[in-house]
Amino acid sequence: MVAGMVAGAVAAAVLAAGGGAPDGAPAGGDESSVTVAVAADRYWLRAEARFAPPAAFIPSPALTYDQTLVPAASRIRVDQRVDENGTTVSLRVRGLTPGHAYGAHVHQNACGAAPEAAGGHYQDSPDPVQPSKDPAYANPRNEVWLDFTAGADGSGSASARHLWALRPGEAGSVVLHEEPGGAGDRVACFTVPFGSMPGAAAVEQPAA
């Protein structure tokens, strides 16, 4: 898959130990990884990790704040694809609470020990009033919403496509919420070094 996407590539690199998992399977083992490929007309990123508590002995870019809903060692994978038609962000998880409906959004900042460290939702047209609660701005057309319901095996997936691209350095994570929609308690967070259209310096971002 990567080979097909990097035909005529400017760059393609695995930015962290572990490498990528096959399509449809989040990361195995305890490692996390970020893979980036850039071509003349497209950008592709895959980031994956296992969730761990903020105080875990072995740190992870994927943090769980509620181990009932997001158990330690459950898995997450985020893919980003950018081309002339816009941006697609896809989410896959495994090992969550079966049957539970989760909210999920791209947030502005990287994750931290406190759930609020990720900041607010990324918005294509930023609300001048923060935190944003105005439905004219806080909606799935202006933000990246990835709500899903975990299946009987605890797995889930979602995808969102927009005609706009993420601004470099202004999107830093995917946050899982206790409930779908525009709000809800933050139960987990995954730091993702989102990139932007080819020609930007996104490929140079460090791995989480």
Side-chain angles (χ1 to χ4, degrees):
M1 177 179 176
V2 174
M5 298 195 67
V6 298
V10 176
V14 176
L15 299 184
D23 256 358
D30 294 325
E31 72 279 359
S32 60
S33 69
V34 178
T35 306
V36 173
V38 182
D41 58 353
R42 65 191 65 193
Y43 176 94
W44 173 77
L45 172 144
R46 173 171 294 173
E48 48 195 339
R50 287 179 179 264
F51 285 103
F57 178 73
I58 299 176
S60 173
L63 302 177
T64 174
Y65 308 118
D66 183 338
Q67 292 193 55
T68 299
L69 293 178
V70 183
S74 56
R75 301 171 181 177
I76 184 168
R77 189 183 90 193
V78 172
D79 288 88
Q80 179 196 15
R81 289 175 173 81
V82 186
D83 57 29
E84 66 276 9
N85 297 314
T87 300
T88 301
V89 178
S90 301
L91 168 73
R92 287 182 178 271
V93 294
R94 181 179 294 175
L96 304 191
T97 300
H100 188 85
Y102 295 80
H105 314 91
V106 172
H107 278 243
Q108 298 168 1
N109 305 326
C111 308
E116 59 269 20
H121 295 179
Y122 177 90
Q123 297 180 324
D124 179 50
S125 297
D127 187 342
V129 178
Q130 295 291 328
S132 179
K133 297 180 180 179
D134 184 346
Y137 293 92
N139 63 67
R141 298 176 303 281
N142 193 46
E143 302 178 343
V144 182
W145 290 29
L146 298 162
D147 296 356
F148 65 93
T149 298
D153 62 353
S155 65
S157 63
S159 183
R161 181 165 182 81
H162 293 285
L163 298 179
W164 36 264
L166 301 174
R167 293 180 296 277
E170 295 188 32
S173 61
V174 170
V175 172
L176 304 188
H177 296 262
E178 183 179 18
E179 59 191 44
D185 290 344
R186 303 179 185 194
V187 297
C189 182
F190 180 32
T191 295
V192 179
F194 287 106
S196 56
M197 291 295 290
V203 75
E204 299 177 2
Q205 296 183 36

